[in-house]
Amino acid sequence: MNVLMVCLGNICRSPLAEGIMREKLNKHNVKAFVDSAGMIDFHEGGLPDHRSIVTARNHGIDISMQRSRPFKKADIDKFDYIFAMDSNNYESLIEFADTPDQESKIHLLMEFAGFGIRRSVPDPYYGNLSDFEKVFEMLDKACEQAAQKIVKQQSELKIA
Ligand code: 4NP
């Protein structure tokens, strides 16, 4: 099982989402490779934003080993679930899909997790530490629900 978390820069939201989702899937005994990527390559090779590193660390999660990388077309075939942080990322990702099967792997995270149609994780880049904390709490709830849904979908696939 391969799971990819995607935002714009891959330094604020998706690194947090990667760290949180890895922990949630592990908790639910799902063997998964979890990664993250950005829709732009501006921060390629860079560490997560220090505010994301601090926020994750405050919750006991180390994301400091992560490095930013841009999303690439081959990711669509490699990953089983691709979660966009906001609807702009979602629209950009969908443009990479050539087939209905590829399209079906791409989800808006908050929507997949049941928090509302077209619901996005706000970009905290121009915000302060409390905005990063709000994003963490949002992602924590969303990744928990998404992990539970993945468990359910996988068990349904096994039965079918
Ligand atoms: P992220 O936040 O998409 O959550 O990583 C951003 C980081 C950098 C930029 C935009 C958003 N930027 O324009 O450089």
Side-chain angles (χ1 to χ4, degrees), residues 45-78:
L47 272 78
D49 187 289
H50 69 279
R51 297 164 296 179
S52 284
I53 293 178
V54 167
T55 302
R57 190 181 295 145
N58 287 343
H59 291 272
I61 299 176
D62 182 12
I63 62 166
S64 64
M65 80 299 285
Q66 294 184 32
R67 297 295 178 267
S68 176
R69 73 155 177 101
F71 178 83
K72 52 183 188 288
K73 192 170 166 69
D75 288 328
I76 300 200
D77 291 322
K78 173 171 181 179

Side-chain angles (χ1 to χ4, degrees), residues 125-137:
Y125 189 53
Y126 295 104
N128 56 33
L129 203 53
S130 84
D131 296 304
F132 281 74
E133 176 60 25
K134 279 186 203 130
V135 163
F136 184 96
E137 285 166 19

